[in-house]
Amino acid sequence: MSFPLLPGQVSENEARTELWVRRLTIGFCLIAIVLGAAQAWTSRFSMNPDGVQYLDNATAYSSGDFHRAVNSQWSPLYPWLIGTWFAAVRASPYLEFPLVHLLNFLIYLASLAAFLFFLNCVLDRIPVEKRAPANRVSLVLIACSSFLYCTLDFTNLAYVTPDLLVSLFAFLAGGLLLRIAAGTASASGYVALGGVLGLGYLAKTPFLVFGALCLGIVAGLGSKRRRAGHLARWCLAAATFAIIAAPYIGILSNAKSRFTFGDSGRWNVIWMVNRVPFYNWQGGPADNGAPIHPTRQISSNPAIFEFATPIGGTYPPWYDPIYWSQGARIAFRPGDFARALLRQIQLYGYLVHHRQLPLVFALATLFLLAADTRRVLAGIRQFWPVLLLGATPFAMYAVVHAEARYLAPFFVLLWTALMAGLLAGLDANLDRGVLLSIVTVAAALVLVEAVTVTPPAAPTRLHYEVAQNIQRLGLKRGDPVAIVTGDLDYFWARLVGARIIMQVEFGKPSCPNCQKLPAEWEKAKQILAANGAVLIVSPCIPGVVDQPGWQPLGVTGAYAYRLR
């Protein structure tokens, strides 16, 4: 990364500072690589429900099963990368989980490079007279510490999701916006922005909104500055964006027989705001409608749901949840939206208060130390394109649903742009020792938090042990199986290549109600066998797994019953 100096003023002191800043940046990169590699290694056997669906989607694309591959819930870029990666290394089923975490690490490295590009664009945007050594060091410390913490804690390499791709494209978009705002971007820069926005949409549907916003920002910049050729260059950016995004929108709309660019936004309102169940919804409340083709409930006591056809995947109810819930509609109940807004406000407050308070302290203190707050606000306004891009997801998710991993790169955009704006507006008389002391303490505290980040779940090979024990019972790839709802995840089914076609819910089997469970199990056993399940897997449920025929799967706490 280059840090421009004042023309003709390369003093010995400035040269030493420039060298020190470069070493600081290199040190940050080494720390980021080591911590990212450690996180990827410790989580190499972990999996999450969304991750199984992305793996299934990658398999569908790789096998040419495009009818099942095109999915309005799961965006395609991440499965395409997974499928290409697995084909290149010829992944065996038991190596898929570690290999997808290695892919996550590679995407993380690309995200790190994109962040450094963004940071360099921010440094270039600071006025020349404000590029004092202390200012550059302060900005690098705040930006790098926020990247480390937000990426390693909020996004986390343990999650098999495309959120690291979103980070990659968000940083690139932020940097390109600043170059366009500064008037230093060539035509290729506009094309690059359109390409980044298009790929961002293919990575995750909400990026379509961010893409439209960025194009609007660029259009606004042109109308203000009236630069020659700006309209033509904007058209290049918009055309590139459309060339990448439009074909997939057409394919998706054709597959769903209606216009759609992705359904996750609408259905998140139904699931997260109206609280319609994710799985096995059979209808209600009345104003939310009823499913057209729900999973088929073939028993109510115990509840047994069958979903062998027509959806594929390891666990069909979550591979295409929109198919099973089609017919649901958004109910505009004010109380639902008020509670959703309150939940998101609490989440936003927690994410800032949890471990980002040192950054708040640093920025607030520098603002209070400023002699002229209007000058500081003017400095911050120079970075309005990035601030608007960074703030948009918080507003967009506010009345629906947000998670920390959705917001990680946008926190980094906001912290970096705000710090750069403060430095651009600070009075030259502010003691640089005070500035560096405040920033160094804040960055050190955040760095400590980044180093001590705990994984979202303790590393475990439980699903591997379950899979190996099930295969010893004679289960073959492609065999139909059933599961019992409980605290045992179904990730083992992806490892053995089984298809879950039925699900049993025994309610809350706590004693003294255990006496009814043996009879319910006898009833369920006959129904499962009659509907084609070869085997059923259950967590430890007294009254069920202690009946004759159940076999413990090693020391996993899981049990299996061979139905035929």
Side-chain angles (χ1 to χ4, degrees):
M1 180 188 298
S2 62
F3 298 87
L5 298 173
L6 293 174
Q9 296 184 3
V10 186
S11 67
E12 182 181 351
N13 181 58
E14 289 171 326
R16 282 201 304 268
T17 303
E18 183 70 15
L19 179 61
W20 193 85
V21 170
R22 288 179 178 176
R23 288 175 175 173
L24 179 66
T25 306
I26 293 171
F28 154 73
C29 290
L30 292 175
I31 292 172
I33 292 169
V34 170
L35 292 179
Q39 198 171 81
W41 176 258
T42 57
S43 63
R44 64 193 183 280
F45 297 118
S46 65
M47 187 45 61
N48 51 290
D50 287 7
V52 172
Q53 315 317 316
Y54 282 114
L55 292 176
D56 287 343
N57 202 225
T59 299
Y61 277 113
S62 298
S63 62
D65 187 0
F66 299 113
H67 175 72
R68 287 180 173 171
V70 178
N71 191 306
S72 60
Q73 172 70 8
W74 313 107
S75 296
L77 183 57
Y78 192 46
W80 292 347
L81 292 176
I82 293 172
T84 303
W85 174 241
F86 283 0
V89 299
R90 299 183 179 181
S92 65
Y94 275 74
L95 285 178
E96 285 184 348
F97 293 4
L99 284 172
V100 80
H101 285 97
L102 178 55
L103 176 63
N104 274 359
F105 177 65
L106 297 176
I107 297 172
Y108 166 77
L109 294 182
S111 175
L112 172 61
F115 164 74
L116 293 175
F117 166 77
F118 165 68
L119 179 56
N120 202 29
C121 293
V122 172
L123 287 162
D124 289 343
R125 188 74 171 127
I126 295 176
V128 173
E129 65 275 12
K130 296 292 184 178
R131 295 179 189 175
N135 286 1
R136 297 204 307 276
V137 171
S138 298
L139 181 57
V140 170
L141 285 172
I142 291 295
C144 292
S145 60
S146 68
F147 171 86
L148 276 176
Y149 175 69
C150 291
T151 303
L152 294 175
D153 190 9
F154 294 168
T155 308
N156 206 295
L157 277 72
Y159 296 123
V160 180
T161 63
D163 296 291
L164 284 167
L165 284 172
V166 172
S167 296
L168 165 64
F169 297 126
F171 293 139
L172 291 175
L176 290 167
L177 278 178
L178 288 178
R179 284 193 172 181
I180 292 171
T184 60
S186 63
S188 61
Y190 285 75
V191 172
L193 178 64
V196 164
L197 300 178
L199 291 172
Y201 161 66
L202 295 181
K204 210 165 185 182
T205 303
F207 221 98
L208 188 68
V209 176
F210 308 149
L213 172 69
C214 289
L215 291 176
I217 290 172
V218 173
L221 290 169
S223 65
K224 288 182 179 180
R225 296 174 180 264
R226 302 181 182 275
R227 288 192 291 270
H230 178 81
L231 178 59
R233 292 179 177 185
W234 180 89
C235 290
L236 280 176
T240 305
F241 177 49
I243 287 170
I244 295 174
Y248 182 72
I249 293 174
I251 292 169
L252 187 60
S253 299
N254 181 65
K256 300 302 177 183
S257 301
R258 55 185 170 83
F259 176 77
T260 180
F261 51 79
D263 293 322
S264 58
R266 175 173 177 264
W267 287 92
N268 272 325
V269 175
I270 293 172
W271 293 324
M272 306 307 301
V273 178
N274 291 153
R275 296 297 187 176
V276 168
F278 291 105
Y279 314 121
N280 301 320
W281 178 56
Q282 304 297 302
D287 49 355
N288 280 120
I292 297 172
H293 27 62
T295 56
R296 294 166 284 276
Q297 185 168 3
I298 53 182
S299 172
S300 58
N301 194 20
I304 301 177
F305 302 92
E306 184 269 328
F307 34 78
T309 59
I311 303 301
T314 300
Y315 181 64
W318 195 230
Y319 182 73
D320 194 351
I322 294 170
Y323 170 84
W324 301 108
S325 298
Q326 188 176 348
R329 56 179 179 265
I330 296 174
F332 292 95
R333 296 186 288 264
D336 286 357
F337 286 90
R339 283 187 288 272
L341 177 60
L342 179 60
R343 285 194 299 271
Q344 303 326 307
I345 292 173
Q346 290 172 334
L347 173 68
Y348 297 165
Y350 171 77
L351 293 179
V352 174
H353 178 268
H354 181 44
R355 286 180 173 176
Q356 297 189 88
L357 274 182
L359 299 176
V360 177
F361 163 79
L363 270 64
T365 303
L366 292 176
F367 183 81
L368 293 174
L369 289 175
D372 187 346
T373 55
R374 286 179 298 179
R375 184 187 299 171
V376 170
L377 293 175
I380 292 174
R381 279 197 297 272
Q382 295 181 50
F383 296 90
W384 73 266
V386 172
L387 292 172
L388 183 56
L389 174 60
T392 295
F394 293 86
M396 188 171 73
Y397 297 131
V399 292
V400 185
H401 174 68
E403 295 179 23
R405 59 190 175 92
Y406 301 171
L407 304 169
F410 303 101
F411 267 120
V412 179
L413 294 179
L414 290 175
W415 291 129
T416 305
L418 286 171
M419 185 62 187
L422 275 170
L423 293 173
L426 280 178
D427 192 273
N429 295 325
L430 177 65
D431 187 284
R432 299 306 164 183
V434 173
L435 170 63
L436 286 174
S437 297
I438 293 170
V439 169
T440 301
V441 170
L445 290 173
V446 175
L447 179 60
V448 169
E449 299 295 354
V451 172
T452 58
V453 163
T454 55
T460 177
R461 295 193 62 173
L462 175 66
H463 34 273
Y464 278 83
E465 296 172 22
V466 170
Q468 289 166 351
N469 280 280
I470 285 176
Q471 286 184 314
R472 294 189 186 104
L473 297 178
L475 190 73
K476 300 180 179 63
R477 297 191 69 80
D479 278 351
V481 299
I483 60 172
V484 175
T485 302
D487 58 0
L488 177 66
D489 290 313
Y490 54 80
F491 310 149
W492 54 267
R494 171 70 195 187
L495 294 172
V496 299
R499 284 199 67 241
I500 301 169
I501 64 166
M502 282 185 281
Q503 186 168 2
V504 183
E505 296 180 1
F506 287 105
K508 296 182 179 179
S510 57
C511 292
N513 297 319
C514 294
Q515 60 269 20
K516 69 177 184 177
L517 293 182
E520 289 187 359
W521 161 239
E522 287 300 320
K523 176 183 176 182
K525 178 171 61 174
Q526 296 176 17
I527 293 173
L528 296 172
N531 283 273
V534 171
L535 178 141
I536 182 170
V537 177
S538 173
C540 182
I541 300 178
V544 175
V545 299
D546 51 11
Q547 299 303 301
W550 283 93
Q551 300 183 52
L553 299 175
V555 293
T556 63
Y559 294 78
Y561 185 97
R562 186 86 191 191
L563 294 162
R564 56 186 178 89

